[in-house]
């Protein structure tokens, strides 16, 4: 017998009501039930961070959160960064600084970075950015471009 629940959540500003099994992860709800396939699932153990989304503004590993835990919450995925066809400043910086590489981990890095940058009131130094980004894994191991992209956006946003 399945334990199912009706939940309501807002994803990138769009309201959704959906019936989910209690054991279904938020990553599966986003990707398979709602079609937000920008959220990638890597390790499924919360280690790699590829599935990072913002849940009520806080970065979470969506593979470790059950969909029912997001009931009544605001979720922001990588699809919510761009304004229509216009990439966000962070997405442009990742491209400009060659921080995209194979792209599998990119959504998680973008969402982690967006949450981090939204809390900053000064430009972080490189060591601080590296410390934050160490929470996610890039199998291409090309962290330098990602660090540079985050630093550039921090500088741009601080004016």
């Amino acid at each position: 017998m399945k334990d199912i629940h009706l939940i309501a959540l807002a994803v990138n500003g769009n309201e959704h009501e959906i019936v989910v099994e209690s054991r279904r992860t938020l990553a599966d709800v986003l990707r398979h039930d709602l079609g937000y396939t920008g959220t990638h699932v890597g390790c499924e153990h919360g280690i790699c961070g590829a599935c990072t989304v913002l849940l009520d503004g806080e970065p979470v590993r969506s593979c470790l959160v059950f969909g029912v835990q997001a009931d009544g919450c605001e979720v922001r995925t990588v699809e919510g960064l761009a304004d229509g066809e216009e990439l966000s400043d962070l997405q442009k910086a990742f491209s400009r600084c060659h921080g995209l590489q194979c792209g599998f981990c990119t959504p998680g890095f973008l969402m982690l970075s967006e949450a981090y940058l939204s809390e900053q009131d000064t430009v972080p130094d490189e060591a601080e950015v590296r410390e934050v980004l160490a929470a996610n894994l890039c199998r291409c191991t090309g962290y330098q471009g990602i660090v540079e992209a985050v630093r550039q956006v921090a500088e741009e946003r601080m004016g």
Side-chain angles (χ1 to χ4, degrees):
M1 180 171 152
K2 294 181 179 179
D3 184 21
I4 58 172
H5 301 267
L6 175 64
I7 65 169
L9 67 162
V11 182
N12 303 328
N14 298 311
E15 301 289 332
H16 298 276
E17 283 192 353
I18 185 167
V19 175
V20 298
E21 286 185 57
S22 58
R23 64 183 176 89
R24 196 156 177 84
T25 67
L26 178 58
D28 286 339
V29 170
L30 291 169
R31 287 183 55 81
H32 303 295
D33 298 336
L34 298 176
Y36 294 96
T37 56
T39 301
H40 292 171
V41 178
C43 68
E44 297 185 80
H45 292 88
I47 304 297
C48 73
C51 65
T52 302
V53 299
L54 303 185
L55 186 64
D56 287 338
E58 297 295 322
V60 298
R61 310 287 208 223
S62 62
C63 72
L64 296 180
V65 175
F66 290 115
V68 294
Q69 292 176 292
D71 187 21
C73 294
E74 298 267 342
V75 179
R76 190 168 180 207
T77 69
V78 70
E79 289 95 337
L81 288 179
D83 182 14
E85 296 296 317
E86 179 72 21
L87 296 178
S88 73
D89 57 350
L90 189 58
Q91 289 170 311
K92 289 177 184 175
F94 267 59
S95 177
R96 185 176 57 245
C97 296
H98 306 287
L100 298 172
Q101 301 159 103
C102 83
F104 188 82
C105 66
T106 302
F109 273 106
L110 284 167
M111 299 316 292
L112 177 66
S113 299
E114 186 63 32
Y116 173 65
L117 289 169
S118 72
E119 296 175 347
Q120 300 304 302
D121 55 6
T122 62
V123 176
D125 64 28
E126 184 176 325
E128 291 173 38
V129 173
R130 285 188 181 279
E131 177 72 21
V132 169
L133 295 179
N136 284 26
L137 299 176
C138 171
R139 293 187 178 143
C140 301
T141 68
Y143 293 91
Q144 186 58 43
I146 298 170
V147 170
E148 184 59 30
V150 172
R151 292 228 345 111
Q152 282 186 13
V153 172
E155 289 175 5
E156 291 167 7
R157 288 185 183 180
M158 298 305 147

